[in-house]
Amino acid sequence: MTSHRLPSGGRIDRSRQLTLYFDGRKIPAHPGDTLASAMLAAGESVVARSFKYHRPRGIYSAGVEEPNALVHLRSGERHEPNTRATMIEAFDGLTATGQNAWPNVRFDLSAANRLLAPFIHAGFYYKTFIGPFRGTGFWMFCERFIRKAAGMGTPTKEFDPDRYEKVNAHCDVLVIGAGPAGLAAALSAGRNGARVMLIEQDRELGGGLLSNSAGGASDPWRAAMIAELEAMANVRILIRATVFGAYDCGVFGIVERLWDHVSQPPELQPRQRYWQVRAKQTVMATGAIERPLVFGGNDKPGVMLAGAARTYLNRYGVLPGRRAVVATNNDSAYRVAIDLAEAGSEVTLTDTRPTPPADLAGEAKAAGATVLAGHGVLSADGRPKVKTARIAPVDANGCATGPARRVVCELIAVSAGWSPALHLWSQRQRKPVFEPSANCFLPIADARPELHIAGAALACPEAKAAARQGHAAGADAAKAAGFDKEAGTMPEPASDPSAAWTESPGTTWMFTDQSGKTKGPAFVDFQHDVGVSDIDQAHREGYTSVEHLKRYTTTGMATDQGKLGNVNALARMAELRGQTIPEVGTTSFRPPFTPVAIGALVGHTAGRHYQPTRLSPIHDWHVEGGAKLTQAGLWMRAWYYPQSGEDLRSAYIREAAHVRSAVGMVDVSTLGKIAVQGPDAAEFLNRIYVNGWKTLAIGRLRYGVMLREDGIVLDDGATARLGANDYFMSTTTANAAKVLAFAEQLLQTSWRDLKVHVTSETDNWAAIAVAGPQARALLTKVVDGCDLSAAALPNNHWTHAMIAGVPLRIHRMSFSGELAYEVYIPSGYGHGIWQYLIEAGTEFDLAPYGTEAMGTLRIEKGHVAAPELDGRTTLGDLGLGGMASTKKPYIGSVTMQREGMVDPARPCLVGLVSEGSEGLKSGSILYALEVEAKGHGEGWISSTTYSPALGKNIALGFLTNGRARHGEAIQAVNFLQDHTDHVTVVSPHFYDPEGERQNG
């Protein structure tokens, strides 16, 4: 394989050798290389296959606009598809493979798709597989294969082992881009005293200056600028960081790639960091992206952007071709031709303009290049890469006016002008305007006063002028942010002899033969295989709006985001419609500017960290005590405490039975706890609960139910009155945050006249429910300062107490059907009090129980919980209609009376008993015994358990006209497991329906 590495030059570290691997082949490289530059140096011409036609593709650019060289990076759990080889920094051991090809990109059997090109044009699948004579079934059959063929890379299914971080930051001036304009803007804003953030997506600062010859005239200026910026305490510089999104209120999304340039990050170090930056003012020095020329075979390996060829030559010391054709319609490519010729390449330069600037043409000729004015490239020929170029004289429309000749070459460097990178500016809901004199889209002046544009992003022609613009923009931004010091003078960089824009750049961008057709496929969007023919077809079929054109042909979509093909596609549509580009318009740009790893956006919020994991104050004891844990909302709770290898079923049955016979305790610290305080606290409770609260005495507590505004039950719980204006509300674990937010919204919007504060106290209190026949005896032994007798503390009362010297409250209330108390302890003492009760309860046979046994006890008693409060049920459905006050209004009091809400046919709460040995399944559908199990049935099962008290499998569920059907046998069908149970409808109050045990 021929090496294209020059013996000297470039900005790479030639003292060190790296070894990379592409498709299993060794690729030599040096620090400072990218994967793309290393592959070019090694002579790797075919590095990818195109999306639709599987055409061989080579490296086309040197930056984020790369459409072709998308590769699989790394393997295993760190495998990453669709990474741009132009942005992958070389490191020793880097492993990459081609994608969208089998068995490899050099020999791809799917290349046969090229034979089908006439049949798989834009929108072919709609016309081929969908139509009035083809049923939906045919499309559904074909869709599976179409979807399999879609996409390019294959993601890993393994767990991502890397860490990511999220950071919020504020600055006075955000400078995006560190080319001449960006460096000057950051310097002037920093000298003004503003807090500055300078963001650069490259690993080095300098932007386009890095494509100049190393050691050239601009390097001292760049080094001086960087040194002064790095010395400023008020300037933060981020390299390897991309601003991918611009949002309202000066918010920008940035991904900083901290350790993408190594095989894996150091231990405990984040691979990437996601910044959310809020800036008062922003300077966008985002540069410009070179546009391709369109001609037959313009996608072949060996065709690349002229600016990229210069970058590989001067920055990486790689000669992309020893025989080169440089095709252009503007001045900027002349410097490319001169540099290539001086590096030893045999160069032919074609300029579509009949009279190019004499000084540039003379300099190119002096360097050894052949200059052909008024010429263009009709086609690139050769397989699989470029071997010759057909060159011919062309008119202003790019049509050949004379015979073509062949030029032997291995590189065709093209430049159709430059497009300012205005994606971030446009993301702020603005569209740029086309400026004919610069032949590009530019931002509207003063459209966004907080956004300042400078440099190539504003079509500035060369580095010196760009630096002046940036310096002024930085000073203006700092002043607008409140800083108005003297920025001082700034040294200017040496003049850049390559100018991207002139007063009259050429407009010819496509070349055809004398018949007006391209020889071979000519592509506008390389990433999606969108050719000129697809644009023409869209026009013929009426997709002439630029937004319709984009979606019908897919041009400018996905990672391209219109970076390369947008203007050429618009120009072609303008020609077809007989309009100008401004009349046709441009599409909208949306975030992200470049692809963003999902891990970076997610940050730490992955796995159990997707939401905060909450632990009760007693959590450590449960873990040490061997409890199996389960997740309940955000909380980790003790599920059951297995003994001698018990499974879940055996453990919860034993625990529930033990509560009925002796005494048990369960950690209920996760219940929502809300302090309701203020002169109007009772009125607030009266409005939010269905039952009355103004008569509740101090020292009492009451069960309450609240409704949503549509009359559906929201939550239930008990509220204690602690003082004249002080109430302690408890909610279910799952709805704690929802109820608090609901209460705050009402007080801040609808009930602003009420003098009430609601405050979450969930974290302030640990809570333990002690239940069972021996509960009073146990607590009487350990408490001081209170009388727990039935006469002194009846059900639904509370009292202050002391246990082991810790002041706390004891609420007498039962959700288990047993004599029960809830002990509320300051959270810092929760673990100690739990341990104290465990030790003191030995003589009473005290045992802890988990949430599964707790659920069994409440089902036996017929208490509703989350499965019954599922957002569909009413008070009537739950059998709680008698609680609703008729003397006051409350949230949902009107809507709960709607016809459908009080329909007697609504399914209502019932108990279900199965004589079978298999447990019932939640979600099973209920049907009458003699009815075929089809459709929605007459109800459903909400909660199931095995009842040790009854010795049977029981369930709670909802059944149409259920209260009148007690004693009826029906069927419960579990369609997921294809199983049917015969059950008997009974009262939902299976155990102690009179409440004698809990009231004893």
Side-chain angles (χ1 to χ4, degrees):
M1 185 177 294
T2 303
S3 174
H4 289 256
R5 182 80 70 183
L6 293 173
S8 61
R11 300 176 186 273
I12 56 175
D13 181 3
R14 294 177 181 268
S15 66
R16 294 171 53 204
Q17 184 80 25
L18 307 175
T19 301
L20 322 181
Y21 298 88
F22 178 69
D23 277 350
R25 297 186 295 279
K26 286 186 178 182
I27 306 291
H30 299 284
D33 264 321
T34 62
L35 175 60
S37 66
M39 288 197 292
L40 273 177
E44 291 282 347
S45 56
V46 179
V47 301
R49 289 282 171 164
S50 70
F51 169 59
K52 189 159 58 174
Y53 303 133
H54 287 255
R55 291 172 63 87
R57 292 282 171 81
I59 294 164
Y60 195 80
S61 74
V64 297
E65 68 272 23
E66 175 58 38
N68 295 337
L70 305 179
V71 301
H72 284 160
L73 186 63
R74 303 183 179 89
S75 59
E77 57 190 5
R78 286 192 167 87
H79 168 78
E80 187 177 357
N82 295 321
T83 54
R84 289 151 294 164
T86 53
M87 297 300 293
I88 301 170
E89 295 180 45
F91 57 85
D92 203 36
L94 183 155
T95 301
T97 55
Q99 59 185 33
N100 199 44
W102 189 85
N104 56 61
V105 294
R106 285 182 166 183
F107 179 72
D108 179 16
L109 292 178
S110 298
N113 281 12
R114 282 181 286 177
L115 301 176
L116 302 175
F119 308 101
I120 54 176
H121 41 69
F124 76 94
Y125 34 87
Y126 298 117
K127 303 168 196 172
T128 306
F129 305 110
I130 301 176
F133 304 109
R134 301 179 180 90
T136 304
F138 180 68
W139 163 248
M140 298 299 289
F141 171 78
C142 297
E143 184 185 28
R144 290 179 296 169
F145 300 98
I146 293 173
R147 290 195 179 278
K148 284 183 179 181
M152 295 184 70
T154 304
T156 181
K157 296 182 180 179
E158 298 182 38
F159 180 78
D160 186 352
D162 293 325
R163 296 166 61 93
Y164 302 87
E165 283 185 352
K166 284 185 179 180
V167 177
N168 285 282
H170 295 76
C171 65
D172 299 311
V173 178
L174 175 69
V175 180
I176 306 173
L183 291 173
L187 184 67
S188 63
R191 285 177 175 177
N192 269 280
R195 294 172 303 159
V196 178
M197 289 188 70
L198 175 61
I199 314 299
E200 173 53 53
Q201 65 188 2
D202 205 334
R203 64 180 178 275
E204 294 183 72
L205 305 181
L209 298 179
L210 296 172
S211 296
N212 293 339
S213 298
S218 61
D219 278 3
W221 179 86
R222 183 176 72 92
M225 297 288 285
I226 294 172
E228 185 172 352
L229 287 169
E230 289 178 340
M232 289 183 175
N234 58 321
V235 175
R236 170 182 277 164
I237 301 173
L238 298 184
I239 58 172
R240 300 186 179 96
T242 300
V243 182
F244 65 83
Y247 306 94
D248 291 343
C249 303
V251 176
F252 293 83
I254 303 170
V255 169
E256 183 184 12
R257 301 175 298 279
L258 297 167
W259 294 104
D260 277 8
H261 56 289
V262 297
S263 58
Q264 65 183 63
E267 187 176 2
L268 302 181
Q269 292 294 310
R271 173 194 164 199
Q272 294 184 358
R273 182 178 290 134
Y274 169 37
W275 294 76
Q276 282 189 356
V277 175
R278 290 161 175 81
K280 294 180 181 178
Q281 296 286 310
T282 303
V283 177
M284 292 187 175
T286 47
I289 297 171
E290 200 165 16
R291 293 197 296 266
L293 290 172
V294 179
F295 48 84
N298 65 332
D299 66 324
K300 287 184 180 295
V303 180
M304 72 166 54
L305 294 174
R310 185 168 187 253
T311 298
Y312 288 117
L313 178 68
N314 292 330
R315 184 172 182 181
Y316 300 109
V318 176
L319 185 63
R322 290 175 174 81
R323 293 178 177 176
V325 170
V326 178
T328 186
N329 65 0
N330 62 88
D331 292 356
S332 66
Y334 278 80
R335 175 50 53 186
V336 180
I338 293 167
D339 287 356
L340 286 171
E342 290 178 345
S345 182
E346 182 181 317
V347 178
T348 300
L349 185 148
T350 67
D351 190 337
T352 62
R353 299 171 295 180
T355 54
D359 55 339
L360 289 177
E363 190 176 352
K365 292 176 182 177
T370 300
V371 178
L372 301 176
H375 280 66
V377 176
L378 300 186
S379 66
D381 301 316
R383 289 188 178 181
K385 59 183 180 179
V386 170
K387 291 183 172 60
T388 62
R390 288 178 65 246
I391 296 174
V394 294
D395 60 18
N397 295 317
C399 184
T401 58
R405 57 171 167 165
R406 289 192 180 274
V407 175
V408 176
C409 61
E410 54 187 346
L411 168 68
I412 302 178
V414 299
S415 177
W418 296 77
S419 297
L422 301 178
H423 297 69
L424 296 174
W425 185 87
S426 297
Q427 286 174 13
R428 293 298 311 280
Q429 309 304 312
R430 303 292 294 185
K431 285 192 176 184
V433 294
F434 194 81
E435 176 52 53
S437 64
N439 198 30
C440 64
F441 284 96
L442 294 177
I444 302 171
D446 301 323
R448 291 280 181 188
E450 74 279 12
L451 300 181
H452 308 262
I453 316 293
L458 202 58
C460 187
E462 47 89 26
K464 183 178 290 187
R468 286 196 295 266
Q469 278 189 3
H471 191 265
D476 290 344
K479 184 176 181 179
F483 300 86
D484 197 14
K485 295 181 182 179
E486 177 57 47
T489 60
M490 182 201 67
E492 293 184 345
S495 296
D496 183 357
S498 68
W501 286 276
T502 62
E503 291 300 318
S504 56
T507 58
T508 305
W509 58 276
M510 183 173 73
F511 303 112
T512 61
D513 59 22
Q514 291 173 316
S515 65
K517 297 180 180 179
T518 60
K519 183 180 183 299
F523 290 92
V524 173
D525 183 318
F526 302 101
Q527 191 163 100
H528 299 95
D529 278 342
V530 179
V532 174
S533 60
D534 294 305
I535 309 295
D536 296 351
Q537 178 186 322
H539 176 262
R540 289 195 302 270
E541 297 184 3
Y543 294 97
T544 57
S545 162
V546 291
E547 296 292 356
H548 292 164
L549 170 68
K550 173 181 177 179
R551 284 153 182 81
Y552 187 64
T553 64
T554 69
T555 186
M557 297 182 71
T559 64
D560 180 70
Q561 282 291 297
K563 296 181 182 71
L564 287 180
N566 217 41
V567 173
N568 288 341
L570 299 176
R572 182 59 176 177
M573 182 57 72
E575 289 178 4
L576 296 170
R577 289 172 55 176
Q579 296 177 317
T580 63
I581 293 179
E583 290 173 318
V584 170
T586 184
T587 56
S588 300
F589 296 121
R590 298 180 177 88
F593 172 65
T594 54
V596 175
I598 293 176
L601 298 179
V602 172
H604 289 303
T605 53
R608 286 186 174 176
H609 298 292
Y610 181 72
Q611 293 176 308
T613 299
R614 305 191 68 181
L615 307 176
S616 88
I618 312 169
H619 175 80
D620 290 345
W621 191 96
H622 302 316
V623 174
E624 294 164 2
K628 297 292 184 182
L629 302 177
T630 187
Q631 190 164 356
L634 300 179
W635 295 87
M636 296 303 297
R637 301 190 67 180
W639 191 10
Y640 62 100
Y641 300 85
Q643 295 180 0
S644 303
E646 285 179 319
D647 61 9
L648 169 63
R649 179 179 173 85
S650 300
Y652 87 74
I653 291 173
R654 172 184 53 76
E655 292 172 3
H658 187 84
V659 173
R660 298 285 187 217
S661 63
V663 61
M665 66 180 188
V666 61
D667 183 1
V668 292
S669 303
T670 62
L671 292 174
K673 309 172 194 73
I674 301 173
V676 182
Q677 298 168 317
D680 294 325
E683 174 63 23
F684 170 76
L685 294 173
N686 231 32
R687 295 183 186 183
I688 203 169
Y689 279 122
V690 303
N691 44 335
W693 291 84
K694 290 189 174 180
T695 60
L696 184 68
I698 297 173
R700 297 289 303 271
L701 52 92
R702 179 171 291 164
Y703 175 74
V705 178
M706 62 181 69
L707 307 181
R708 301 185 322 212
E709 292 176 332
D710 60 0
I712 296 295
V713 174
L714 171 63
D715 196 55
D716 70 338
T719 297
R721 188 172 187 182
L722 306 183
N725 300 318
D726 189 3
Y727 293 79
F728 184 85
M729 175 193 291
S730 67
T731 73
T732 61
T733 296
N735 287 329
K738 185 184 296 184
V739 170
L740 179 64
F742 184 49
E744 289 177 333
Q745 180 187 13
L746 290 170
L747 291 172
Q748 292 173 18
T749 56
S750 303
W751 300 340
R752 298 178 62 184
D753 58 312
L754 294 185
K755 298 176 181 179
V756 180
H757 284 293
V758 290
T759 308
S760 174
E761 291 199 335
T762 301
D763 293 338
N764 294 348
W765 297 93
I768 303 170
V770 183
Q774 296 295 313
R776 181 183 290 124
L778 167 62
L779 290 178
T780 298
K781 176 184 177 181
V782 299
V783 301
D784 295 315
C786 70
D787 182 358
L788 298 183
S789 65
L793 190 68
N795 202 20
N796 294 328
H797 285 65
W798 67 270
T799 184
H800 290 291
M802 299 273 288
I803 297 179
V806 177
L808 42 78
R809 287 200 317 272
I810 297 178
H811 297 197
R812 184 176 172 191
M813 173 166 274
S814 176
F815 288 93
S816 62
E818 293 295 332
L819 173 66
Y821 302 86
E822 291 180 355
V823 184
Y824 287 91
I825 312 143
S827 58
Y829 296 96
H831 185 281
I833 295 298
W834 177 280
Q835 181 64 40
Y836 185 81
L837 290 174
I838 288 288
E839 295 170 358
T842 303
E843 65 179 279
F844 304 99
D845 197 18
L846 173 67
Y849 64 97
T851 58
E852 195 71 20
M854 183 176 68
T856 294
L857 297 172
R858 70 98 183 160
I859 294 171
E860 289 180 335
K861 186 59 181 173
H863 280 303
V864 296
E868 288 74 48
L869 308 182
D870 64 354
R872 296 181 293 171
T873 52
T874 68
L875 282 174
D877 299 341
L878 299 171
L880 301 175
M883 291 181 61
S885 173
T886 59
K887 299 179 180 180
K888 67 179 181 77
Y890 49 86
I891 294 292
S893 59
V894 175
T895 52
M896 66 176 287
Q897 300 297 330
R898 288 177 294 170
E899 182 179 357
M901 306 284 272
V902 296
D903 186 349
R906 284 180 65 89
C908 62
L909 187 70
V910 296
L912 302 166
V913 176
S914 171
E915 301 297 333
S917 59
E918 294 188 32
L920 300 171
K921 299 296 182 182
S922 297
S924 295
I925 307 300
L926 303 177
Y927 298 89
L929 201 59
E930 69 282 358
V931 172
E932 182 182 359
K934 292 176 62 178
H936 297 291
E938 296 184 89
W940 67 93
I941 292 178
S942 56
S943 299
T944 65
T945 191
Y946 175 81
S947 169
L950 278 64
K952 296 177 180 179
N953 291 303
I954 64 174
L956 296 177
F958 293 85
L959 179 66
T960 300
N961 200 26
R963 297 187 186 96
R965 299 171 70 172
H966 290 183
E968 179 182 343
I970 62 174
Q971 54 180 329
V973 182
N974 178 8
F975 288 101
L976 294 178
Q977 297 181 358
D978 194 22
H979 179 75
T980 299
D981 279 298
H982 288 180
V983 297
T984 302
V985 182
V986 298
S987 166
H989 308 295
F990 299 96
Y991 180 79
D992 189 24
E994 301 302 324
E996 295 177 358
R997 295 177 68 91
Q998 69 185 41
N999 292 317

